Amino acid sequence: MSRHWHDLHSPASRASLYLRAASKRKISADRLPGDGLRCLIGVQPDNLAAYRRLCHFADDGRLPATYPHVMAFSLQLQLMTADDFPFPLLGLVHLHNRIEVLRPLGAIEGLRFAVYTDNLQAHAKGGTFDLVTEAEDGIGLLWRETSRMLVRGLKLEGGADEPAEDEPAALPEATRWYADSDIGRRYAKVCGDYNPIHLSAASARLFGFPTAIAHGMWSKAMALAALRGHLPHSGYAFEVGFRKPVRLPSEVVLSASEAGPQGTLRLDGHSGVLHMVGHWEPL
């Protein structure tokens, strides 16, 4: 596909983007737009410090591998609330997230981001597409994220069966943490993701959840921070699939392989609830 790029001086305000998201409730088409957005976005030191505290990352002079996702979040919102984007933002479900760290994320004051959508496919519950975010410095590409999103109710030709989800093997416990009832609001304040399903039980019930649920990218960031000694500084991918949501408040247990060039992880709750599975590997 020949992609048409729009270069921005800065993303639109999040308040205006959320108003646009709230106004769209129906699927309007079954094709992804061919446009992408690009923008230079600077690191905000106070926000970075707050993110490190929230997700338990050490201040080692490098950006946490999940932090460029936070930097690019408004740009992602702008892409998915544009007039030509066919799906309502508030109905999307984040199924899977892969982050690739191609080069070390140190000594960075800003990054040039590019965001676009790709790979629309049929799914048993509708359809999926990939939201791709890439970050460059003055040398070239150094970070990439691919988020697979589910569009419930989308009808595409050549329907698909729901993919089988294998139960991952038991692993040694690495750590555990308590996701308290306000972690969704605290994450939203730092990262800008104010999806109502994360903010309170009352707002979550409007979307069919009995309680608020933790942000998937908070769970991934907490796992990445806990496993920082397992990973190199660069040249790796860290990939997770989101299973059952973490209902707030609750305790979760992270289990993982031993440190090494590749390994697997899982995040479990009580009563046998599996929240997240994943792995890391060299690029």
Side-chain angles (χ1 to χ4, degrees), residues 114-128:
V115 299
Y116 60 94
T117 55
D118 199 8
N119 193 30
L120 184 64
Q121 295 188 11
H123 185 278
K125 294 181 180 178
T128 61

Side-chain angles (χ1 to χ4, degrees), residues 10-25:
S10 63
S13 73
R14 286 175 182 164
S16 67
L17 295 174
Y18 275 116
L19 285 174
R20 289 178 65 95
S23 68
K24 184 166 187 174
R25 297 301 180 93

Side-chain angles (χ1 to χ4, degrees), residues 4 9 46 89 105 109 118 121 139 147 162 165 176-177 181 196 206 209 219 221 231 254 258 262 267 275:
H4 180 229
H9 292 294
D46 290 346
L89 179 66
L105 298 174
E109 296 182 355
D118 199 8
Q121 295 188 11
I139 298 174
S147 295
E162 188 164 0
E165 295 183 334
R176 59 179 62 201
W177 62 81
S181 58
L206 297 175
F209 294 91
S219 295
L231 303 168
L254 177 68
E258 299 298 327
Q262 58 188 27
L267 187 69
H275 297 302

